[in-house]
Amino acid sequence: MKKILMIAASILVWLILWQILAMCIDSKIILVTPIDVARRLWELIREEKFWKSILFSMARILLGFALGLTTGTVLAVVSGKVKFIRILFAPLISVMKSIPVASFTILALIWIGSKDLSVLVSFLICVPIVCANMLEGIDNLDPNLEEMSRVFKIPFGRRFAGVYLSQLLPYFRSASRLAIGLCWKSGIAAEVIGIPSGSIGEKLYMSKVYLETADLFAWTTVIILLSWLCERIFISLVNLLQRRIERM
């Protein structure tokens, strides 16, 4: 309870500072007040297009995240077992980690168009993060636990959960937490460049074109909340899985 109060107090302090700064600047084009943002957000929530834009972007970004999470995990497991595969994919993973989002987004826009652009960009952001973290976990598996499980002839199901999953889940959790946030950032950035109709990125772009700063802040707030909510839900599911494994 004390921690929650401290967090709430810190947020309130920053909101007050924001309010004071906006009042000092006194220009709704440069910086609006948090009250203006809250008012505009309340107006947007009551519009049907608002929810359609959220569903449009969320579905594609989370699809890219899910595909990237699966691909990165499988690639890490295979690379951990077969050294040639690790060497073969190492340059590709390095390129995926290093390439600027804007550069690849423009290229991807030529390949697949704007509608599903955020799926591909989110996928490519997620894969190297998950693969690198899971590979680190695989490299740090305790061989003594595996040997002991074989000596005592523990069934494969329990051995898989107790020996492998229990050790890899912390790495999986860290990778997921980082990847899902970056997927939202890169996915929305891709939408701002591609401007697919009905997306959150389109709303941000139109806010810039028409100098609607309140809309820009309102949609940014929505993105932050959606990213945080998706992260919390997914990590809660991972934690639930870990607790079930620990009871086995």
Side-chain angles (χ1 to χ4, degrees):
M1 185 64 182
K2 184 178 179 181
K3 184 179 178 181
I4 295 174
L5 290 174
M6 290 176 65
I7 293 173
S10 63
I11 292 173
L12 181 60
V13 167
W14 284 110
L15 287 174
I16 292 172
L17 291 174
W18 176 8
Q19 178 75 25
I20 293 171
L21 181 61
M23 291 172 67
C24 291
I25 294 174
D26 195 25
S27 173
K28 290 186 180 294
I29 293 178
I30 297 176
L31 184 64
V32 294
T33 67
I35 295 174
D36 292 329
V37 175
R39 185 183 298 117
R40 183 55 184 148
L41 187 56
W42 175 248
E43 292 172 355
L44 288 171
I45 287 173
R46 292 182 290 176
E47 296 178 5
E48 185 179 351
K49 290 182 179 179
F50 172 83
W51 298 105
K52 287 183 177 179
S53 295
I54 286 178
L55 289 175
F56 181 97
S57 297
M58 180 182 284
R60 284 160 177 76
I61 290 170
L62 291 184
L63 176 60
F65 169 72
L67 292 174
L69 196 66
T70 304
T71 303
T73 302
V74 171
L75 184 59
V77 171
V78 175
S79 298
K81 291 289 185 181
V82 184
K83 189 175 182 179
F84 173 74
I85 298 296
R86 172 180 258 177
I87 297 172
L88 178 66
F89 280 94
L92 180 60
I93 294 297
S94 296
V95 169
M96 291 170 69
K97 287 167 63 177
S98 305
I99 189 169
V101 174
S103 299
F104 184 80
T105 299
I106 295 170
L107 184 60
L109 189 58
I110 298 171
W111 292 344
I112 63 173
S114 63
K115 186 177 180 181
D116 296 317
L117 185 62
S118 54
V119 178
L120 180 58
V121 171
S122 299
F123 169 80
L124 291 172
I125 288 294
C126 185
V127 169
I129 295 172
V130 175
C131 185
N133 276 267
M134 293 300 291
L135 264 177
E136 184 180 356
I138 291 170
D139 289 342
N140 287 292
L141 286 173
D142 188 350
N144 294 325
L145 288 177
E146 181 179 1
E147 183 179 352
M148 183 179 67
S149 65
R150 293 184 184 279
V151 169
F152 287 96
K153 297 181 179 179
I154 297 174
F156 175 77
R158 293 187 65 183
R159 186 168 71 246
F160 176 76
V163 175
Y164 300 110
L165 278 184
S166 62
Q167 295 184 78
L168 291 177
L169 274 178
Y171 296 92
F172 182 79
R173 185 190 298 107
S174 298
S176 302
R177 180 179 284 113
L178 177 59
I180 199 165
L182 289 177
C183 281
W184 272 100
K185 288 182 180 180
S186 58
I188 295 299
E191 290 182 348
V192 172
I193 295 173
I195 322 175
S197 179
S199 67
I200 294 177
E202 181 196 30
K203 304 303 182 187
L204 288 174
Y205 182 81
M206 298 310 294
S207 298
K208 184 209 75 169
V209 170
Y210 293 108
L211 299 177
E212 295 173 341
T213 311
D215 279 41
L216 178 61
F217 274 85
W219 280 107
T220 302
T221 302
V222 169
I223 295 166
I224 293 171
L225 291 175
L226 288 173
S227 176
W228 177 82
L229 183 62
C230 291
E231 178 189 321
R232 295 295 296 178
I233 291 173
F234 190 81
I235 296 303
S236 295
L237 293 174
V238 174
N239 291 338
L240 179 62
L241 175 62
Q242 185 168 12
R243 285 195 295 271
R244 293 196 63 179
I245 291 172
E246 288 171 354
R247 294 195 195 104
M248 292 179 65

